[in-house]
């Protein structure tokens, strides 16, 4: 994810685990991003947004994660 000027931009990952031999022939996608002053990049695994917590023990969710980063 990229935070720029109070906006969040997502760059979708490839749906394959790293290091699995049977997918060797499918290359990973390269993303080219022009970096600007004050850009903030967030790199994380898909498990981060699946964390449970808070008083209600609720799933953090993708929307909650993105909202937290946009602050």
């Amino acid at each position: 994810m990229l935070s720029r000027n109070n906006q969040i931009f997502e760059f979708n990952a490839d749906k394959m685990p790293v290091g699995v031999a049977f997918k060797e022939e499918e290359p990973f996608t390269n993303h080219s991003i022009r970096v600007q002053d004050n850009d903030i990049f967030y790199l994380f695994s898909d498990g981060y947004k699946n964390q449970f917590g808070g008083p209600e023990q609720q799933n953090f969710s993708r929307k909650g994660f993105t909202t937290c980063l946009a602050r």
Side-chain angles (χ1 to χ4, degrees):
M1 279 189 186
L2 164 62
S3 176
R4 176 183 289 160
N5 300 325
N6 297 319
Q7 290 184 296
I8 297 289
F9 300 93
E10 293 187 52
F11 302 91
N12 294 322
D14 296 315
K15 301 278 185 186
M16 63 178 147
V18 176
V20 174
F22 67 87
K23 294 241 181 179
E24 281 183 20
E25 296 174 16
E26 295 181 40
F28 286 97
T29 303
N30 289 321
H31 297 278
S32 295
I33 303 164
R34 291 184 184 255
V35 179
Q36 297 178 6
D37 288 344
N38 301 314
D39 280 354
I40 301 171
F41 287 91
Y42 298 95
L43 304 175
F44 51 90
S45 73
D46 58 350
Y48 194 87
K49 62 183 171 33
N50 295 326
Q51 299 298 307
F52 286 88
E56 310 264 332
Q57 288 297 308
Q58 292 182 349
N59 185 294
F60 196 41
S61 80
R62 181 183 193 129
K63 183 179 178 181
F65 182 59
T66 304
T67 301
C68 182
L69 296 179
R71 292 182 186 169

